[in-house]
């Protein structure tokens, strides 16, 4: 028989999976419903944690505290599942133009990129430590674990109906949450992201090459290339335009021959203030959310899951910078 649970998590992408892990560790009764959302951002995500991102070379929000916590959590889950999920990476960040070169010089002088900005030269600089998570392994491993515990449900979910069965329903469906999840007061924003899978020889196994786009080695003779960014697009299907843009970028990044073996697309959900959202609905306390992770899910999802755990076990308030109620009028 299925576990009788006070809490239902809807969506077993990255956010829902880490939330479930934290609730399991806290000994809370929960089940997860997931219909394998075809447009979920996690399906196309590369799982990279790059501490310094963007053309202005900005250090990620709260990276100094979120980094060690995320790294420890992925190691912990990997140990529980019997396989490594986290790997240490270095990023070789190549300058796209003179503006990036001067941005680095300026920020190095002020010390604001420490300790992540490493040695540099005329072409670029090193970012370390960086990291990567095997998202497919994480999701599949936790799914099998929860199926064995009778915690997994498949098929569509109607939030209103679920509230009759559960004291709390936490919606972690990303795009579906934003479009139909009752959080219409939140100014959700969207962007389609696409990546290519390529066959290529000769890459350093733990070095991400980054200039406008990135190249991530994923095994002997294989790499991923991404990611495109199309604001406002909610259609999660791969496009010829993205394939051509990424292929052109690759030709300038790599000196070696490559062939494209696959392509994936997903829709990111993010927010205007560049922060994620978690917490309870301001008018329906029985409905909660984790969403708006944009391209920082691997770094932010552990923090948001821990916020929910602390809230449910100790009554702790959500951090005001990520509390979904910051958008309620």
């Amino acid at each position: 028989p299925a576990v009788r649970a006070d809490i239902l998590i809807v969506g077993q992408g990255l956010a829902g999976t880490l939330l479930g892990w934290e609730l399991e560790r806290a000994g809370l009764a929960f089940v997860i419903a997931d219909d394998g959302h075809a447009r979920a951002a996690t399906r196309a995500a590369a799982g990279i944690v790059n501490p310094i991102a963007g053309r202005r070379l900005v250090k990620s929000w709260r990276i100094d505290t979120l980094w060690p916590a995320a790294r420890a959590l992925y190691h912990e889950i990997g140990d529980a599942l019997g396989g490594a999920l986290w790997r240490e990476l270095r990023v070789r960040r190549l300058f796209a133009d003179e503006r990036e070169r001067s941005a680095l010089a300026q920020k190095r002088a002020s010390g604001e990129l420490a300790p992540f900005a490493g040695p540099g030269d005329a072409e670029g600089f090193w970012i370390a430590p960086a990291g990567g998570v095997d998202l497919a392994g994480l999701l599949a491993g936790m799914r099998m674990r929860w199926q064995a515990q009778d915690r997994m449900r498949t098929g569509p979910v109607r939030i209103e109906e679920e509230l009759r069965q559960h004291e709390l329903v936490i919606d972690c469906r990303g795009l579906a949450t934003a479009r139909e999840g009752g959080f219409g007061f939140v100014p959700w924003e969207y962007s389609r992201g696409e990546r290519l899978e390529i066959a290529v020889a000769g890459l350093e196994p733990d070095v991400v090459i980054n200039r406008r786009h990135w190249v991530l080695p994923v095994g002997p003779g294989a790499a991923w290339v991404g990611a495109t960014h199309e604001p406002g697009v909610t259609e999660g299907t791969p496009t010829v335009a993205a394939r051509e843009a990424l292929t052109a970028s690759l030709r300038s990044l790599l000196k070696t021959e490559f062939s494209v073996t696959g392509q994936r697309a997903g829709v990111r959900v993010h927010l205007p203030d560049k922060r994620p959202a978690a917490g309870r609905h301001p008018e329906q306390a029985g409905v909660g959310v984790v969403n708006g992770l944009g391209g920082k899910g691997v770094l932010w999802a552990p923090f948001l899951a821990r916020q929910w755990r602390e809230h449910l076990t100790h009554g702790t308030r959500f951090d005001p910078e990520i509390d979904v109620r910051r958008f309620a009028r």
Side-chain angles (χ1 to χ4, degrees):
V3 173
R4 170 76 184 98
D6 301 326
I7 301 167
L8 171 69
I9 297 170
V10 187
Q12 198 236 325
L14 178 60
T17 297
L18 296 190
L19 178 58
W21 172 259
E22 287 290 354
L23 299 193
E24 183 183 329
R25 285 178 65 227
L28 297 169
F30 71 96
V31 289
I32 296 192
D34 182 79
D35 68 357
H37 306 288
R39 290 176 297 182
T42 306
R43 292 170 65 90
I48 301 170
V49 184
N50 180 2
I52 301 170
R55 299 183 62 178
R56 292 181 297 125
L57 305 181
V58 177
K59 200 155 99 166
S60 288
W61 176 69
R62 295 198 191 175
I63 184 77
D64 299 295
T65 53
L66 298 190
W67 168 272
R71 184 183 180 194
L73 181 68
Y74 294 117
H75 275 300
E76 184 182 278
I77 299 174
D79 290 345
L81 295 178
L85 295 173
W86 175 270
R87 64 173 172 147
E88 298 289 320
L89 298 170
R90 293 182 299 148
V91 177
R92 174 61 172 158
R93 174 64 188 257
L94 301 170
F95 298 125
D97 51 35
E98 199 53 51
R99 196 170 63 177
E100 289 185 9
R101 199 175 273 109
S102 60
L104 176 68
Q106 191 181 339
K107 295 192 175 196
R108 225 193 249 292
S110 71
E112 66 184 273
L113 297 181
F116 299 100
D121 53 39
E123 290 189 349
F125 68 105
W126 288 93
I127 302 170
V133 175
D134 174 6
L135 291 175
L138 169 68
L139 269 54
M142 292 307 293
R143 194 179 192 88
M144 285 177 62
R145 178 189 182 91
W146 288 327
Q147 282 169 338
Q149 297 173 1
D150 284 321
R151 291 188 193 270
M152 283 296 309
R153 275 174 41 194
T154 54
V157 167
R158 294 179 67 88
I159 302 291
E160 292 303 321
E161 288 174 17
E162 299 296 344
L163 288 168
R164 300 190 196 118
Q165 308 289 324
H166 306 279
E167 288 174 26
L168 176 62
V169 177
I170 308 176
D171 198 337
C172 301
R173 293 175 298 160
L175 180 63
T177 306
R179 290 181 132 180
E180 64 200 54
F183 287 87
F185 62 92
V186 180
W188 306 112
E189 297 178 344
Y190 312 97
S191 70
R192 174 167 57 197
E194 300 188 51
R195 69 167 160 84
L196 301 181
E197 293 153 10
I198 63 168
V200 62
L203 297 182
E204 284 189 70
D206 297 313
V207 172
V208 179
I209 305 167
N210 183 312
R211 184 178 61 216
R212 303 269 166 90
H213 297 115
W214 45 256
V215 182
L216 170 71
V218 293
W224 293 347
V225 184
T228 57
H229 177 65
E230 289 181 88
V233 179
T234 57
E235 183 50 61
T237 47
T239 65
V240 173
R243 185 183 180 115
E244 288 175 350
L246 290 172
T247 303
S249 197
L250 255 179
R251 288 203 185 97
S252 72
L253 277 171
L254 298 182
K255 308 287 186 279
T256 49
E257 289 298 309
F258 62 87
S259 59
V260 177
T261 58
Q263 183 173 356
R264 289 203 168 218
V267 180
R268 311 176 191 92
V269 181
H270 41 93
L271 288 158
D273 61 5
K274 310 254 187 302
R275 303 284 179 268
R280 291 183 187 260
H281 194 286
E283 287 155 15
Q284 279 185 291
V287 181
V289 72
V290 180
N291 205 350
L293 283 78
K296 304 273 191 204
V298 171
L299 182 64
W300 288 352
F303 170 61
L304 302 176
R306 183 63 58 87
Q307 287 270 308
W308 263 110
R309 175 183 172 172
E310 295 299 315
H311 174 70
L312 292 170
T313 55
H314 301 301
T316 310
R317 291 178 178 228
F318 289 91
D319 186 309
E321 282 201 70
I322 61 94
D323 192 337
V324 72
R325 296 184 186 211
R326 71 190 188 271
F327 298 110
R329 289 285 169 265

